[in-house]
């Protein structure tokens, strides 16, 4: 299998939303094929663990970006308390939160805010001043981040298939299997969450882009996707 090359993301804890910047580097590296007939001693899990870590870091970066994008939209709608919660969740992902109970809660928070933004943008009336600017910023960030979310989700689906193959081959070595599962646990968590999240973001991005247009702001979605790719690659 081939994966888009992804290196470790590093996001400064005090960073503010960067709407422009990154290219999901398209240099690909291969993962050795893992068949069910291999002995556990012949299964090389190191590349799978490495790829898991890289994909998890990209997930964290997308969650930072989408939460700051949500904060912008919520400010436009006058929901300042929710906007601050979004910024705090963004900082939590910057700080390393991924899986477990904390990760689950942050994902739940993000989904609820996304739903609220979708509903309000769908029926929103024309905005002016700072509220208009907040919507335009949110639409741009949503467009770029949703594009990256889909791209990362595709990669982690491919990785997940290989990881499951490796776990199957390691069944004869419970100790090695347990260690491998522990190493890729965050990656498995992301695999269960990101596809749905990316789908939700894509729907909301479309509505926000339309809403920005109502307000007189044209969002170039292709430009925002390219900009977000550059942002992500700068954080590799």
């Amino acid at each position: 299998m081939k994966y888009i090359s992804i290196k470790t993301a590093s996001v400064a804890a005090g960073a503010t939303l960067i709407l422009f910047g990154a290219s999901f580097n398209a240099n690909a590296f291969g993962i050795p094929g893992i068949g069910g007939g291999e002995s556990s001693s012949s299964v090389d899990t190191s590349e799978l663990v490495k790829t898991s870590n890289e994909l998890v870091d990209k997930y964290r970066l997308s969650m930072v970006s989408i939460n700051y994008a949500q904060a912008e939209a919520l400010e436009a709608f006058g929901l300042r308390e929710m906007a601050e919660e979004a910024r705090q969740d963004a900082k939590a992902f910057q700080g390393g939160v991924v899986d477990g109970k904390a990760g689950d809660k942050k994902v739940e928070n993000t989904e609820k805010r996304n739903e609220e933004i979708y509903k309000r943008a769908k029926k929103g009336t024309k905005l002016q001043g700072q509220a208009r600017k907040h919507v335009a910023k949110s639409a741009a960030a949503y467009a770029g981040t949703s594009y990256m979310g889909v791209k990362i989700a595709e990669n982690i689906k491919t990785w997940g298939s290989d990881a499951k193959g490796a776990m199957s081959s390691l069944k004869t070595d419970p100790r090695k299997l347990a260690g491998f599962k522990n190493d890729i646990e965050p990656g498995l968590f992301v695999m269960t969450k990101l596809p749905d999240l990316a789908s939700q973001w894509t729907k909301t991005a479309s509505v926000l882009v339309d809403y920005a247009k109502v307000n007189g702001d044209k969002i170039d979605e292709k430009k925002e996707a390219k900009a977000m790719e550059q942002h992500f690659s700068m954080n590799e």
Side-chain angles (χ1 to χ4, degrees), residues 35-51:
E38 288 184 280
S39 68
S40 62
S41 61
S42 67
V43 177
D44 181 7
T45 60
S46 60
E47 283 294 339
L48 288 168
V49 172
K50 178 183 176 185
T51 303

Side-chain angles (χ1 to χ4, degrees), residues 16-37:
T16 55
L17 175 63
I18 302 175
L19 300 180
F20 305 99
S23 217
F24 218 43
N25 197 335
N27 295 327
F29 59 85
I31 299 294
I34 299 172

Side-chain angles (χ1 to χ4, degrees), residues 128-185:
Q128 298 292 338
Q130 287 299 316
R132 172 184 171 180
K133 292 179 181 179
H134 283 307
V135 167
K137 287 182 179 180
S138 180
Y142 250 98
T145 307
S146 62
Y147 168 80
M148 291 306 300
V150 169
K151 206 165 188 178
I152 300 165
E154 290 172 352
N155 276 270
I156 205 157
K157 181 180 179 181
T158 304
W159 167 86
S161 178
D162 286 347
K164 288 177 180 178
M167 287 188 282
S168 178
S169 295
L170 290 172
K171 285 181 179 178
T172 57
D173 189 341
R175 189 170 183 177
K176 189 172 182 180
L177 175 60
F180 178 55
K181 282 184 175 179
N182 183 67
D183 288 340
I184 65 169
E185 186 174 354

Side-chain angles (χ1 to χ4, degrees), residues 4-11 21-26 29 50-66 93-94 97-98 144-156 186-187 190 194 197 201 227-236:
I4 295 172
S5 178
I6 303 171
K7 297 181 182 178
T8 302
S10 173
V11 187
S23 217
F24 218 43
N25 197 335
F29 59 85
K50 178 183 176 185
T51 303
S52 172
N53 293 337
E54 292 166 348
L55 289 168
V56 165
D57 282 330
K58 288 301 179 184
Y59 163 77
R60 284 180 49 235
L61 187 54
S62 68
M63 292 299 280
V64 170
S65 183
I66 206 67
F93 282 106
Q94 287 173 334
V97 168
V98 176
T145 307
S146 62
Y147 168 80
M148 291 306 300
V150 169
K151 206 165 188 178
I152 300 165
E154 290 172 352
N155 276 270
I156 205 157
V190 173
L194 187 56
L197 286 169
W201 300 344
M228 194 60 75
E229 278 191 323
Q230 292 171 352
H231 173 46
F232 271 58
S233 69
M234 287 168 61
N235 285 280
E236 289 180 352

Side-chain angles (χ1 to χ4, degrees), residues 42 68 108-109 127 226:
S42 67
Y68 277 125
E108 183 182 330
N109 292 346
L127 297 174
K226 184 176 180 180

